[in-house]
Amino acid sequence: MTTTDAEFLSDFEIMSTHGATDGGGVDRQAGTAADHATRAWFGGWLREHGLRESIDEVGNQFGTREFAPGLPYVLVGSHLDSQPLAGRYDGAYGVLAGAHAAVRAIAAVDEGEIEPRFNVAVVNWFNEEGSRFTPSMMGSSVFTGKLDPATALATTDPAGVSVAEALADGHGAPTDAPALDDIARYAEIHIEQGRVLEETSVQIGLVDRTWAASKYRVTVHGEQSHTGSTRMADRQDALYGASLIIAAARDLTDEFAVGELHSSVSELYVLPNSPVTIAREVVMNLDLRSPSEGVLERAMEKLADRIRLVEGRSRTRVEAALTHRWGLVAYQPEGVRLARESAESLGLSHVDIMTVAGHDSTNLKDEVPTVMLFVPSVDGVSHNEAEFTRDDDAVRGVALLTDVVRRLLAGELADEAVARADTLVAAEA
Amino acid sequence: MTTTDAEFLSDFEIMSTHGATDGGGVDRQAGTAADHATRAWFGGWLREHGLRESIDEVGNQFGTREFAPGLPYVLVGSHLDSQPLAGRYDGAYGVLAGAHAAVRAIAAVDEGEIEPRFNVAVVNWFNEEGSRFTPSMMGSSVFTGKLDPATALATTDPAGVSVAEALADGHGAPTDAPALDDIARYAEIHIEQGRVLEETSVQIGLVDRTWAASKYRVTVHGEQSHTGSTRMADRQDALYGASLIIAAARDLTDEFAVGELHSSVSELYVLPNSPVTIAREVVMNLDLRSPSEGVLERAMEKLADRIRLVEGRSRTRVEAALTHRWGLVAYQPEGVRLARESAESLGLSHVDIMTVAGHDSTNLKDEVPTVMLFVPSVDGVSHNEAEFTRDDDAVRGVALLTDVVRRLLAGELADEAVARADTLVAAEA
């Protein structure tokens, strides 16, 4: 059994009906009914294509095929969950591309074209997005030992529902599933979520590094008072302080060359959030990201200075807790070289590229030799219903990933040392 | 039956145990269990002191005493509901002071000291604060015909619970209660929620005008995208746009003399409010208030200019819908004069004062001759657990309010034209 490009595109259309939104995207946050519907559909797809479905304790969903009992796996996949009102491609494209690539590679093994050194498995990592349950990349973090499974399962969404409850209510009880020790290699393909490939008319990105990033949880402490009668000079307005920090974080990016620093604040909670009471507290996230560790370091220092100024101007007290920090971490050069050889063998144009966004491969590459690939995103739009990748780019990606999986099965990529990249600075609240 | 100052202070302590917070304040938002517990306690107090308890269709709670059937009422009161984590005095002081004043005035009638021209009633207006159910001053707005009762009852809190449901679950089904046509005069006492009385060492504020105010609902429209990978120049970040507006509204106040303009943003909702997705929409309130209509007019024009600049800088689209607007509206001068005579007869120092905050009397004064009084607030702290009014100030206020109610019962304040003050500019969403 193998698959055609037309089947891939047809499967992608069918898959995208799960959690479909009026705006042409999907909304299937981790563990919701829409996510479970997609998982159930994907489980059926795996079984129909001769793979054994299994699910681990934190909801990672696998499809395995053993060529010989006991061999470790070449694992390929991404995630099916999405942001709220998101696009159809982010993660889901990579899972389905991985599944088709695995089935095609299995066909090549079955037909004797490849002598497999490993077994093969497809994966749908649970909760990569982290919009409903924090942190993001939860499933792959537990799988790689970076996050305690009990902590992950006890994590609750804003309505108080835990991961354990969200998983119990949905598709698939835990079964005998692969663990990290069973994995020899990892490959993932993803849409770029940026404009580099499109603007340079290149077909494939070979991901060689991640941007450095520092993520904060910022708490602004003010004092409740009446919005009308409190004199301006007496106010200790936490929302005013927060707004100055948001603006300062954005302005920081203008102090560096274009593209050297990205900053964002995107999640914010106000207490008491009343129309007639000045905020006593605001809690928000704040991220700084850079392709240069030196720039990131200077940006962090400048941010700290700005926060001190904001405290004075708004008469608030600000805590900026650094929750995650990682430097400029490389994917294994051997993996990039293998992907380059593969792209060239298929006649695809390619460029080495950094990823700004985190991916499940960010976790996997710390543990096993890993290949990470990008296909173009139209206008770089992502986390938006309008996210789009053209069909010809999508099927080219499947072809390349198939070739990469074949090469990995054949043992082309050597074992090598892997460096731990992602650093959790402090325990999340 | 009459009451002593010691009884007033004791009753105030007991009342403040309902919804008491660890920080020494109260938390009894409208229609919550804590609000209903306070209402039930107050209903018992009314009955014990010879008043007939009644509740109207939107939860306004009355205690009436008829001297002669069919006479209209002198109504006195305020509200027992509070902001979240609020102080013990805002509203609740005025209800209890009104109840004691009514009982003392009734005693004077019963002893033949006054020949009553009216009956007397105490009121606890439902949902003055508006923190759980918008708009504020809901009960008195329905009572004065400014708000449709069906609209009020259908209003829901953020959890989807309606006013009708919150009332049905709590203390007191609707009974035969007074309506606007039954009311001849209104009196209310409240803590100042400002520092004028304290800083000038004056015991009583005679409220003669309200500040002018314009209230907006601001919606910032951006575009969802990835917080990491989206280029800064491509971002249309609704939360960044909102933060610039918050800062601009605050900076506006520096363009006028101290005390000429107050501005605030205190309630804000982010969509989708995810750690890795740039906000597509922010909805927030924005208030401008001034003791000068000319200043308010200029501030509104400047705000509109600033919003246009923010749209360009943040690449967002901003709708600023003016939901409420009122000018500098006077309380009846005859009511202020009567209160002044009363204060002088008791030897209390007094000053004419404007109110920045809205009160239920803002609604009532548009319909019936009204007297509004302030007692000092320590440091002007309000909508905060640390809100405090000294016992001697509190009991002086009860004495003054008693004298005012006696004068109103005796017919000292003439009927006169009343001018409609509060203007709802557009229907609330």
Side-chain angles (χ1 to χ4, degrees):
Chain A
M1 181 188 297
T2 188
T3 72
T4 65
D5 288 349
E7 284 166 345
F8 172 80
L9 294 171
S10 165
D11 285 344
F12 190 77
E13 286 299 317
I14 293 164
M15 179 174 71
S16 302
T17 62
H18 297 293
T21 60
D22 292 342
V26 297
D27 195 329
R28 42 190 191 217
Q29 293 190 75
T32 59
D35 184 32
H36 282 302
T38 319
R39 294 163 62 86
W41 173 84
F42 186 61
W45 191 99
L46 291 170
R47 292 189 299 274
E48 283 168 20
H49 289 78
L51 295 158
R52 185 179 78 85
E53 186 193 11
S54 59
I55 295 175
D56 73 11
E57 61 180 330
V58 293
N60 296 315
Q61 182 182 24
F62 298 87
T64 52
R65 167 71 186 268
E66 288 195 335
F67 303 118
L71 283 185
Y73 292 95
V74 169
L75 183 64
V76 58
S78 191
H79 62 93
L80 290 176
D81 73 311
S82 86
Q83 291 285 321
L85 288 188
R88 300 158 63 179
Y89 295 86
D90 181 351
Y93 165 70
V95 173
L96 193 64
H100 277 259
V103 167
R104 293 178 188 185
I106 290 165
V109 170
D110 290 347
E111 287 162 23
E113 294 173 24
I114 305 166
E115 184 67 38
R117 296 264 319 274
F118 305 107
N119 291 321
V120 70
V122 183
V123 63
N124 163 28
W125 299 112
F126 181 72
N127 187 30
E128 193 270 352
E129 294 291 357
S131 52
R132 180 180 177 198
F133 299 109
T134 302
S136 59
M137 303 195 282
M138 181 178 274
S140 59
S141 292
V142 171
F143 189 82
T144 52
K146 296 178 178 190
L147 180 65
D148 176 51
T151 303
L153 290 168
T155 302
T156 53
D157 70 6
V161 178
S162 70
V163 167
E165 289 164 341
L167 285 171
D169 284 350
H171 169 74
T175 51
D176 182 33
L180 180 59
D181 286 347
D182 304 318
I183 308 304
R185 305 286 184 267
Y186 181 65
E188 181 169 353
I189 195 164
H190 205 280
I191 59 167
E192 183 195 346
Q193 305 177 285
R195 297 178 153 196
V196 171
L197 297 179
E198 202 191 21
E199 290 185 352
T200 55
S201 298
V202 171
Q203 294 166 325
I204 297 292
L206 311 172
V207 179
D208 64 347
R209 279 174 301 170
T210 59
W211 277 34
S214 293
K215 301 190 174 194
Y216 299 85
R217 185 177 51 250
V218 177
T219 307
V220 184
H221 299 278
E223 183 79 18
Q224 269 192 215
S225 62
H226 195 291
T227 52
S229 57
T230 312
R231 291 177 188 176
M232 298 311 294
D234 288 343
R235 297 185 183 208
Q236 301 176 44
D237 184 340
L239 184 54
Y240 174 56
S243 75
L244 295 177
I245 291 171
I246 294 168
R250 175 69 167 241
D251 292 346
L252 267 189
T253 66
D254 294 331
E255 299 185 28
F256 297 91
V258 170
E260 277 198 340
L261 181 69
H262 285 185
S263 76
S264 65
V265 176
S266 59
E267 186 180 21
L268 182 146
Y269 298 92
V270 182
L271 287 175
N273 213 28
S274 163
V276 286
T277 298
I278 290 167
R280 72 172 177 273
E281 185 177 297
V282 170
V283 181
M284 59 190 183
N285 72 330
L286 193 158
D287 294 355
L288 300 176
R289 309 195 198 212
S290 177
S292 155
E293 292 182 356
V295 166
L296 185 65
E297 188 70 39
R298 291 208 302 285
M300 291 175 70
E301 289 166 8
K302 284 171 181 276
L303 178 69
D305 291 343
R306 299 297 187 287
I307 286 175
R308 295 292 85 76
L309 293 175
V310 167
E311 285 183 310
R313 189 168 159 202
S314 61
R315 304 180 68 237
T316 60
R317 185 171 60 80
V318 179
E319 292 174 84
L322 188 66
T323 55
H324 292 80
R325 182 176 184 180
W326 60 85
L328 212 65
V329 182
Y331 281 75
Q332 294 91 353
E334 291 78 1
V336 180
R337 193 179 312 134
L338 179 139
R340 188 180 302 118
E341 289 169 8
S342 180
E344 289 177 356
S345 75
L346 299 180
L348 302 177
S349 60
H350 57 83
V351 64
D352 290 4
I353 195 167
M354 296 178 78
T355 179
V356 191
H359 297 290
D360 292 307
S361 69
T362 315
N363 281 329
L364 272 293
K365 76 169 172 13
D366 296 343
E367 306 297 334
V368 296
T370 291
V371 174
M372 180 77 201
L373 306 167
F374 277 168
V375 291
S377 301
V378 172
D379 291 334
V381 171
S382 189
H383 288 187
N384 183 303
E385 292 169 294
E387 183 183 80
F388 184 61
T389 288
R390 293 190 185 84
D391 284 353
D392 53 358
D393 284 320
V395 299
R396 263 194 288 269
V398 178
L400 176 62
L401 187 62
T402 302
D403 192 71
V404 166
V405 171
R406 288 173 61 130
R407 289 168 186 262
L408 293 174
L409 284 174
E412 284 194 26
L413 184 58
D415 285 307
E416 67 171 46
V418 287
R420 205 165 178 77
D422 190 341
T423 305
L424 186 70
V425 173
E428 283 282 343
Chain B
M1 181 192 292
T2 189
T3 71
T4 65
D5 289 348
E7 283 166 347
F8 172 81
L9 293 172
S10 165
D11 285 344
F12 190 79
E13 286 298 318
I14 293 164
M15 180 174 69
S16 303
T17 62
H18 298 294
T21 61
D22 292 344
V26 297
D27 195 329
R28 43 189 190 218
Q29 293 192 77
T32 59
D35 184 32
H36 282 302
T38 319
R39 293 163 62 87
W41 174 84
F42 187 59
W45 192 98
L46 291 170
R47 291 189 298 276
E48 284 167 19
H49 289 78
L51 296 158
R52 185 179 78 84
E53 186 194 12
S54 60
I55 294 173
D56 72 12
E57 60 179 331
V58 294
N60 295 316
Q61 183 182 25
F62 298 88
T64 52
R65 167 68 187 270
E66 288 194 334
F67 302 120
L71 283 184
Y73 291 95
V74 169
L75 183 64
V76 58
S78 189
H79 61 94
L80 290 176
D81 74 308
S82 86
Q83 293 284 322
L85 288 188
R88 300 158 61 178
Y89 295 86
D90 180 350
Y93 165 70
V95 173
L96 193 64
H100 277 259
V103 166
R104 293 178 188 186
I106 289 165
V109 170
D110 290 347
E111 287 164 21
E113 295 175 23
I114 305 166
E115 184 68 36
R117 294 264 319 275
F118 305 106
N119 290 321
V120 68
V122 182
V123 63
N124 162 29
W125 299 110
F126 181 71
N127 187 30
E128 194 270 351
E129 294 291 357
S131 52
R132 180 181 176 196
F133 299 108
T134 301
S136 59
M137 302 196 282
M138 179 177 275
S140 59
S141 293
V142 171
F143 189 82
T144 53
K146 297 178 179 189
L147 181 65
D148 177 52
T151 303
L153 290 169
T155 302
T156 52
D157 69 6
V161 179
S162 70
V163 168
E165 289 164 341
L167 285 172
D169 284 350
H171 168 73
T175 53
D176 181 34
L180 181 59
D181 287 347
D182 304 319
I183 308 303
R185 305 285 184 270
Y186 180 65
E188 181 170 353
I189 195 164
H190 204 280
I191 58 166
E192 182 196 346
Q193 305 177 284
R195 296 179 155 195
V196 172
L197 297 178
E198 202 191 21
E199 290 184 353
T200 55
S201 297
V202 171
Q203 294 165 326
I204 297 291
L206 311 173
V207 179
D208 63 348
R209 279 172 303 170
T210 59
W211 276 35
S214 293
K215 299 189 174 194
Y216 300 84
R217 185 177 51 248
V218 177
T219 308
V220 184
H221 299 278
E223 182 79 19
Q224 270 192 211
S225 63
H226 195 291
T227 51
S229 57
T230 312
R231 292 178 189 174
M232 297 312 293
D234 289 343
R235 296 185 184 208
Q236 302 175 44
D237 183 340
L239 184 54
Y240 175 56
S243 75
L244 294 178
I245 292 172
I246 295 168
R250 175 65 169 244
D251 292 345
L252 267 188
T253 65
D254 293 331
E255 299 185 28
F256 297 91
V258 170
E260 278 198 340
L261 181 70
H262 286 184
S263 77
S264 64
V265 176
S266 59
E267 187 180 21
L268 183 148
Y269 298 93
V270 182
L271 288 175
N273 214 28
S274 163
V276 286
T277 298
I278 289 168
R280 70 172 179 275
E281 186 178 296
V282 170
V283 180
M284 60 188 183
N285 73 329
L286 192 159
D287 296 354
L288 300 175
R289 310 195 197 211
S290 176
S292 155
E293 291 182 356
V295 166
L296 184 65
E297 189 70 38
R298 292 208 302 284
M300 291 174 71
E301 289 165 9
K302 284 170 182 278
L303 177 69
D305 292 344
R306 298 297 187 287
I307 286 176
R308 296 292 85 78
L309 293 175
V310 167
E311 284 183 312
R313 189 168 160 200
S314 61
R315 303 179 70 239
T316 59
R317 185 169 60 79
V318 179
E319 291 174 85
L322 188 65
T323 55
H324 291 79
R325 182 177 182 179
W326 60 85
L328 212 67
V329 182
Y331 281 76
Q332 296 91 354
E334 292 78 0
V336 180
R337 194 178 314 133
L338 179 139
R340 188 179 302 118
E341 289 169 8
S342 181
E344 288 178 356
S345 76
L346 299 181
L348 302 178
S349 58
H350 57 84
V351 65
D352 290 3
I353 195 167
M354 295 178 77
T355 177
V356 190
H359 298 289
D360 293 305
S361 70
T362 314
N363 281 329
L364 271 294
K365 76 169 172 14
D366 296 343
E367 306 296 334
V368 296
T370 291
V371 174
M372 181 76 201
L373 306 167
F374 277 169
V375 292
S377 301
V378 172
D379 291 334
V381 170
S382 190
H383 289 188
N384 183 302
E385 292 169 293
E387 184 183 79
F388 184 62
T389 288
R390 293 190 186 86
D391 285 352
D392 51 0
D393 284 319
V395 300
R396 263 193 289 268
V398 178
L400 176 61
L401 187 62
T402 302
D403 191 70
V404 165
V405 170
R406 289 174 60 131
R407 287 166 187 263
L408 292 173
L409 283 175
E412 284 194 27
L413 183 58
D415 284 309
E416 68 171 47
V418 287
R420 207 164 177 79
D422 190 339
T423 304
L424 186 69
V425 172
E428 285 281 345

